[in-house]
Amino acid sequence: MKVLVLIGAGSAVFTRGLLADLISADDLGAWEIRLVDVNEEALGVAARLAGLMVEARGAGDRITVRSSTDRREMLPGADYVVTCVGVGGRPAWQADHDVCIRHGIYQPVGDSVMPGGISRLLRTVPVMVEIARDVKALAPGAFFFNYSNPMTANVYAMTRHAGVEVVGLCHGMHHVQRELAAFAGLPFEETSTLYAGINHLTFIYDFRHNGADAWPGVREKVARELAVAPEPQDIGSIWENGKAWHNPFSWEIFQRYGAYPAANDRHVLEFFPERWAGGSYYGKTLGVDAFSVPEILEWGENRYQGMRAQALGEAPLDETVFDRSTGEQEQLIAIIRSIELDQRQMFSVNVPNRGAVPGLPDDAALEIPGVATARGLRPVSVPDLSAPLTAILARRLTSVYLAVEAAMTGSRDLAVEAMIADGAVTDPEAAARLTDALIAEQKRFLPAFA
């Protein structure tokens, strides 16, 4: 029996998807799933829902579920450890959004970069490093995967400050590769890509169909669609619709640099904050009526409450979850299968550079291709990313390094410098005011800044 420890199991959406996929994966054998979360109520919901799912599929002979608020109790003997931690949850995310807007900063996500992303980094990185230290001490032989954002900062910090081998996973690249194939009218299975970047800003610079360059057809379709005025509902919708006007900035980057940036406008435009003064985005306002943050938070809360009702017996179990998954956990199950069976399949992974992409720091956490083998993930070298794209990535890493150092030392001054380096706030005094406001708002999650 294999043992998988899920830390942050109160993220019931991920927990539900992971259990559904494992229950459906007969070829992976028997598993003990150990759920961990510091929030007892959320953990209870996840554990009860997991039990109902195992019972519904009659999988109790090969899937067992345990839960605890103490990760150190659950880590020994783990074969796989997965982190899906959101320090402060949706309320802290909403608070970041509100504080930033009061200071004139509008962003559509706030989980990776710009002031909202830096605020999340400050409260998340120290927790992730402590978790990583426990993994290293109590489950040194486990394969360790992280889904927590900000991904680039977390993987870098855990590698540097805890000395662990951790692989960051995000479904963004996986989805965008499928979306590119669909946009080009090509079967996904017949396409291939080459790419490199940092999480939520990964440049797909080679796209092929059965070995032939597929970009010419894409360019033709993009030009044709963008030549027609957009429908208002196409601009800033959270949900992808397959139209060029849904990601106009990403296609602008493509036309300029010959590479398409994942994971589409909602994430990508945050890495170019100087272009969106006052949050103005093609006639709408970022985070408000373009990629609305309250809307995505409400959607997440509604999903959680729906699962809570199922766990408490107030609603019937939604067994459609056992259908083919497209969630965050989908890639994880495929990677586990490739490791267990040594299938050596290719996936997008966030790992330390270590020379894979020339021109970027060796310790930077990059999103690049990796091969899943019985001995773990083996990154693939990407030596031909263009100099302009490499320069964009190098610039974006500066703020990450500063913010991680601020998080680990509790340095308010370094946090201010990270804000300035990020580019959304260029005036030092404004950056200081915003930093102080975010630290004050999130102080219960920032013991190092006391």
Side-chain angles (χ1 to χ4, degrees):
M1 178 177 285
K2 295 288 184 179
V3 174
L4 186 150
V5 179
L6 176 57
I7 300 174
S11 175
V13 174
F14 185 92
T15 302
R16 182 179 69 166
L18 174 64
L19 262 295
D21 284 358
L22 268 181
I23 289 169
S24 302
D26 296 336
D27 59 318
L28 292 180
W31 289 82
E32 179 177 277
I33 308 300
R34 301 176 184 173
L35 306 179
V36 179
D37 204 288
V38 296
N39 184 322
E40 291 190 43
E41 180 183 358
L43 179 63
V45 168
R48 284 191 292 273
L49 188 62
L52 290 172
M53 292 171 65
V54 171
E55 181 182 359
R57 280 297 190 263
D61 59 331
R62 60 183 185 85
I63 305 287
T64 59
V65 180
R66 295 171 55 197
S67 62
S68 173
T69 57
D70 182 2
R71 65 176 179 264
R72 293 183 62 85
E73 172 192 341
M74 304 299 262
L75 280 170
D79 297 289
Y80 294 87
V81 178
V82 181
T83 45
C84 187
V85 174
V87 178
R90 283 182 290 276
W93 190 354
Q94 178 72 60
D96 285 340
H97 174 72
D98 294 342
V99 170
C100 286
I101 283 183
R102 287 200 295 270
H103 286 255
I105 299 299
Y106 297 83
Q107 56 186 118
V109 189
D111 67 356
S112 297
V113 293
M114 292 185 65
I118 292 172
S119 180
R120 180 184 290 235
L121 183 158
L122 294 178
R123 65 180 178 268
T124 303
V125 157
V127 173
M128 299 307 299
V129 169
E130 287 303 313
I131 291 172
R133 288 170 176 163
D134 284 347
V135 172
K136 184 178 181 180
L138 301 173
F143 295 106
F144 184 14
F145 298 101
N146 172 64
Y147 277 92
S148 303
N149 284 319
M151 178 68 72
T152 301
N154 286 337
V155 171
Y156 162 70
M158 287 189 284
T159 303
R160 178 184 176 190
H161 291 282
V164 296
E165 292 291 324
V166 58
V167 175
L169 299 177
C170 174
H171 69 167
M173 265 298 301
H174 179 70
H175 281 187
V176 171
Q177 287 170 310
R178 288 185 175 275
E179 289 162 7
L180 272 179
F183 184 81
L186 303 171
F188 172 70
E189 295 75 15
E190 296 177 4
T191 64
S192 59
T193 57
L194 288 173
Y195 51 87
I198 56 180
N199 185 233
H200 295 154
L201 183 66
T202 296
F203 295 104
I204 302 173
Y205 64 89
D206 189 82
F207 177 48
R208 294 181 180 273
H209 175 232
N210 288 333
D213 184 4
W215 283 136
V218 170
R219 287 190 180 91
E220 180 182 338
K221 184 174 181 181
V222 169
R224 185 169 64 251
E225 290 196 7
L226 294 184
V228 180
E231 297 292 331
Q233 64 269 22
D234 292 340
I235 300 296
S237 170
I238 291 171
W239 315 111
E240 290 296 325
N241 64 13
K243 299 179 182 179
W245 270 114
H246 190 263
N247 296 291
F249 180 64
S250 295
W251 287 118
E252 178 185 331
I253 293 291
F254 170 73
Q255 291 168 329
R256 187 163 296 157
Y257 294 99
Y260 187 84
N264 297 326
D265 274 24
R266 180 169 173 259
H267 283 290
V268 168
L269 59 85
E270 291 194 317
F271 292 85
F272 302 85
E274 66 281 356
R275 304 192 185 208
W276 318 106
S280 177
Y281 171 80
Y282 299 95
K284 294 187 178 183
T285 302
L286 292 172
V288 181
D289 58 350
F291 308 113
S292 167
V293 171
E295 180 183 346
I296 196 66
L297 290 173
E298 181 182 10
W299 174 80
E301 181 63 22
N302 289 340
R303 288 191 73 188
Y304 173 76
Q305 291 300 331
M307 285 180 282
R308 182 177 183 274
Q310 294 172 46
L312 298 179
E314 298 170 356
L317 182 68
D318 180 9
E319 297 197 34
T320 61
V321 71
F322 294 105
D323 298 339
R324 178 64 179 165
S325 167
T326 58
E328 291 273 9
Q329 74 291 331
E330 179 185 14
Q331 189 178 21
L332 175 62
I333 298 300
I335 288 175
I336 290 175
R337 181 177 285 110
S338 188
I339 289 173
E340 292 295 316
L341 305 178
D342 199 30
Q343 293 178 336
R344 307 195 176 199
Q345 293 186 3
M346 191 91 73
F347 302 92
S348 62
V349 296
N350 290 265
V351 293
N353 182 15
R354 293 171 183 161
V357 181
L360 294 175
D362 278 354
D363 58 357
L366 303 185
E367 192 163 65
I368 54 179
V371 180
T373 78
R375 295 176 65 87
L377 269 295
R378 293 290 185 266
V380 174
S381 177
V382 187
D384 51 354
L385 186 69
S386 72
L389 296 179
T390 302
I392 290 172
L393 295 171
R395 172 177 175 251
R396 293 307 319 176
L397 285 167
T398 302
S399 180
V400 174
Y401 280 88
L402 288 167
V404 167
E405 193 67 18
M408 294 303 296
T409 62
S411 171
R412 174 263 191 190
D413 290 342
L414 282 179
V416 173
E417 289 299 312
M419 290 282 182
I420 296 170
D422 171 82
V425 186
T426 56
D427 177 69
E429 291 186 3
R433 288 193 297 270
L434 177 53
T435 302
D436 290 340
L438 287 167
I439 290 174
E441 180 67 33
Q442 306 288 6
K443 61 183 178 182
R444 63 194 179 281
F445 304 119
L446 299 171
F449 287 85

